[in-house]
Amino acid sequence: MLERVVFADIEEALVDYLSAELADLADTAAVVTRIPDPRPARMVRVARNDRKARLDVEDREGRRGAHLAFDRPRIVVECTDDAGSAAILAANVRAIVTSLAPGYIGEIWCDSVEDAGGENDTDPQTDAPRYTAIFDLIVRGKILA
């Protein structure tokens, strides 16, 4: 019988992790998964988006490896700051995320993080400076008892 593997909510874990790490840097940016109303002037939005193409064998050929206890979330992080410091916020977030593996994100073990790049992506609705960074994580699931 195959084991059932459950994967934790990586977005929630990253929101908590980034909030704590930014607070240690005395950064007051709101870390969210959904943009609140009213929108904070300084914000980091975390979203899982596995539909953004990866350039690896799994996406090219549509096959998964034998390691079914691992999840490979693609994380998109959007950093905005109405005061014009979105690039600095994005640089700090990239440093935090790329240095977290191997290690725990809350209770989730993260084997590796690959920085898939970033871009200057001005928000089309508000014209506010926004920087987007993309990360590929490999995290372990837990066996469902």
Side-chain angles (χ1 to χ4, degrees), residues 111-135:
D111 282 324
S112 71
V113 174
E114 185 175 328
D115 187 341
E119 67 177 317
N120 182 344
D121 181 29
T122 301
D123 189 337
Q125 293 179 349
T126 63
D127 221 21
R130 177 174 65 188
Y131 282 78
T132 302
I134 301 171
F135 305 96

Side-chain angles (χ1 to χ4, degrees), residues 51-66:
R51 291 182 174 255
K52 281 198 172 282
R54 295 179 181 93
L55 300 176
D56 62 14
V57 71
E58 289 186 14
D59 285 325
R60 272 195 323 270
E61 300 176 14
R63 62 184 162 117
R64 288 273 181 188

Side-chain angles (χ1 to χ4, degrees), residues 80-139:
T80 60
D81 185 359
D82 293 347
S85 296
I88 295 168
L89 178 58
N92 288 340
V93 168
R94 285 180 84 173
I96 292 167
V97 174
T98 57
S99 69
L100 64 80
Y104 283 96
I105 307 168
E107 294 184 10
I108 302 171
W109 178 258
C110 182
D111 282 324
S112 71
V113 174
E114 185 175 328
D115 187 341
E119 67 177 317
N120 182 344
D121 181 29
T122 301
D123 189 337
Q125 293 179 349
T126 63
D127 221 21
R130 177 174 65 188
Y131 282 78
T132 302
I134 301 171
F135 305 96
D136 292 324
L137 280 61
I138 296 179
V139 296

Side-chain angles (χ1 to χ4, degrees), residues 20-40:
E21 292 293 315
L22 287 172
D24 286 348
L25 296 175
D27 193 322
T28 60
V31 183
V32 299
T33 55
R34 292 187 178 186
I35 300 171
D37 187 22
R39 185 179 71 80

